[in-house]
Amino acid sequence: MTPDVFTGHTAHPLDSMSIAGIGVVCGYGWGREYLWQGLMGGKPAAGLYPGYGPGRDQHAWVGRIPDGGDPAYGTGLFGRAVHAAATEAITDAQARGWHGTDRTVGLVHAFTLGDVADWRDFYLREDGHRRTRDYLKMLPSTPISVVMQKFGFHGPAMNVSAACSSGNVGLLTAKMWRDAGLVDDVLCITTDLSATPEMLEHFVGMGAAVAEADPFTACRPFQRDSLGFTMAEASVAMLLTDAAEMPYARVLGGAMTNDGFHVVSMDPTHTQVIACAERALTNAGIEATDVAYFNAHGTGTRQCDAAERDLFAAVFDERPAITALKPLTGHCQGACAAIEVAAIALSYERGIAASAPIVAAAHPRLLNGPTPMTDGPTLKLSLGMGGNNAAVILAPV
C-alpha cells in the first residue's frame, strides 16, 4: 500500500475491503440475530397491519420495524434505527478485532425518502410546530452526525440515494473512498422506513407491491404465478475495513449503470442490467465462471423477473445457484440490497446459504430454503426505480 499524494492517506488495494461488523434493524426485530433466525426459520418478517388501503380501513401485509430503540435519537423510529444498527455494527467489528483508534473512518448513509412517518406527523398532526431540538432530529444530516460524534469518527460523512439500489450504491461509494485513499475504514448504513399506508397505496397502484396477499403468495421470484412484493423496512449497518482479524466477507468490487429509459419501467432490452453485471465482474477481477451464487434482486414483479432471468442466461449461462430473500425479508426499498448483503455475509460465516423456500414451479437453480454453503463469490444484484442498476461482488474471507 502506498500513500495517496493528494490526501496523505493510505491507498488500499482493490481487494482489501471486508465486512467486519454488521448491525440490523428489520421486521424480524432489533438485531442481526433476529434477521438470521428469521431467515433460517423460513417465516416472513411481514405481519398484517390495520389502517392501510385508500380508506385506511383495511389490513395489509407489511414488514414494519417493531417499536423500539432509544427515544433520545429520534421522535420517530428512523433516527433510533440508524443509531441502533450503527452501534451494533461497530460493537460487532470491535469484537472481531477491529480498532478504530488512529484510523480515518468515514460514514456513508444510503436512503431514499428519509423519515416518512415522522415528517407526515410533523405536517399533519403537529401543524409544523415542534421543539427545535426535536425538529433537528428529523433532518437527514442529523442521524449520521450523531453517529460521527458518538464514535469520534472524522472522515467524510454523507447521504447517497439511488432508489432501491441504494444499499449497493452505498457500499460502492464506500469502496471508492477507500480506493481513492480518502479514508481507512467506512461505516456504511442504509435505512428505509417508508412502509406507510400512503407509500404502499402508490406502490400497489403501480402494480409492484401487493398488500392483501400473504408474502409467499405474493412474492415468488424465479417462480410461477408471482404477483409482486411485500413492502418492508430496515436499517442495516456494516463496518468496512482491512484491519479486522475475523471479518465476515470480502467486497471484491462492483459496478453501477442506468437504463436511461423510464422513471419506473425497465428497458425491455435489459442491455444496461446485463452490462452492470459484466462490469462488476471486470472490476472484481473475476470471471463469470468463478461465481458460485447469484443473489437476485428478486422483487417478484414481472419486469424484474424477466430482466434477471435474461441476465442469468446471458452472463452466467444459468450456472450459479440462485438465492432470493424478499419473500422472507420483504422489499425494504432503499435498504433491500443492504439487508441482503448482510445476509450473504452471515451466510459465509455460518456456512449456510440463506434463501426463501420454494412454493411454486421454480427455476432449477433457485435454492429451496437454507442450503449448505459452497465456497465461491456471490454477485448481489440490485435494481432501482429510475433505471438504477448496481451489482456488488462478495467472497469468502
Side-chain angles (χ1 to χ4, degrees):
M1 294 185 291
T2 57
D4 184 272
V5 295
F6 296 106
T7 65
H9 293 298
T10 300
H12 299 267
L14 292 176
D15 63 351
S16 67
M17 191 172 77
S18 296
I19 299 171
I22 299 173
V24 179
V25 178
C26 66
Y28 286 121
W30 291 65
R32 67 181 172 276
E33 292 305 320
Y34 285 106
L35 169 64
W36 185 253
Q37 291 166 14
L39 296 176
M40 294 299 100
K43 181 179 178 180
L48 270 174
Y49 287 87
Y52 284 79
R56 307 292 181 258
D57 57 354
Q58 301 175 22
H59 285 68
W61 286 94
V62 185
R64 288 173 52 179
I65 289 177
D67 194 23
D70 188 340
Y73 296 100
T75 51
L77 290 178
F78 191 92
R80 302 182 197 180
V82 170
H83 177 265
T87 300
E88 184 181 30
I90 293 167
T91 301
D92 186 29
Q94 290 170 338
R96 292 171 173 274
W98 176 75
H99 304 286
T101 306
D102 299 326
R103 295 178 69 83
T104 300
V105 182
L107 193 159
V108 175
H109 182 222
F111 76 108
T112 49
L113 296 173
D115 200 342
V116 174
D118 208 26
W119 277 103
R120 176 197 60 199
D121 292 346
F122 174 71
Y123 281 115
L124 300 182
R125 298 181 184 179
E126 302 171 34
D127 198 27
H129 300 295
R130 185 176 285 190
R131 292 187 305 174
T132 300
R133 69 179 184 180
D134 289 331
Y135 166 77
L136 289 173
K137 293 175 183 177
M138 301 164 57
L139 302 179
S141 59
T142 296
I144 61 175
S145 176
V146 169
V147 172
M148 297 294 281
Q149 294 172 50
K150 177 175 179 177
F151 295 101
F153 298 158
H154 299 287
M158 62 179 282
N159 291 301
V160 299
S161 183
C164 297
S165 66
S166 294
N168 272 359
V169 169
L171 284 174
L172 293 175
T173 301
K175 192 173 187 304
M176 286 189 287
W177 282 2
R178 280 177 42 85
D179 293 345
L182 297 175
V183 295
D184 297 311
D185 307 317
V186 183
L187 179 64
C188 187
I189 312 172
T190 310
T191 309
D192 197 304
L193 275 69
S194 63
T196 63
E198 299 85 358
M199 296 296 110
L200 180 60
E201 177 183 342
H202 291 286
F203 277 98
V204 170
M206 286 185 283
V210 179
E212 298 179 6
D214 71 88
F216 286 153
T217 300
C219 188
R220 299 175 176 182
F222 285 87
Q223 300 173 65
R224 185 180 298 166
D225 299 327
S226 186
L227 302 174
F229 58 77
T230 300
M231 204 163 179
E233 301 175 329
S235 183
V236 180
M238 289 173 275
L239 195 284
L240 308 170
T241 183
D242 64 349
E245 297 168 7
M246 298 178 291
Y248 289 96
R250 292 183 297 150
V251 181
L252 299 186
M256 297 175 277
T257 64
N258 190 281
D259 283 1
F261 176 76
H262 193 270
V263 297
V264 176
S265 297
M266 299 177 66
D267 180 353
T269 68
H270 308 142
T271 301
Q272 294 305 320
V273 174
I274 292 171
C276 184
E278 291 173 338
R279 293 176 187 178
L281 292 168
T282 300
N283 181 256
I286 64 174
E287 302 292 333
T289 52
D290 297 325
V291 173
Y293 293 93
F294 173 63
N295 182 269
H297 186 56
T299 59
T301 61
R302 184 178 301 175
Q303 286 193 80
C304 181
D305 214 48
E308 294 198 285
R309 285 174 182 265
D310 195 6
L311 181 154
F312 193 65
V315 177
F316 295 112
D317 195 25
E318 308 205 15
R319 189 195 56 81
I322 302 170
T323 58
L325 295 175
K326 285 183 177 62
L328 293 171
T329 62
H331 189 350
C332 300
Q333 305 298 303
C336 68
I339 198 168
E340 290 159 10
V341 168
I344 294 166
L346 291 168
S347 292
Y348 277 130
E349 185 211 32
R350 300 175 187 195
I352 302 173
S355 193
I358 293 173
V359 298
H363 191 288
R365 299 300 294 156
L366 179 65
L367 295 187
N368 185 14
T371 305
M373 195 85 179
T374 300
D375 197 18
T378 299
L379 187 144
K380 165 63 202 151
L381 183 69
S382 188
L383 309 173
M385 285 187 177
N388 290 293
N389 312 309
V392 169
I393 296 180
L394 308 166
V397 175

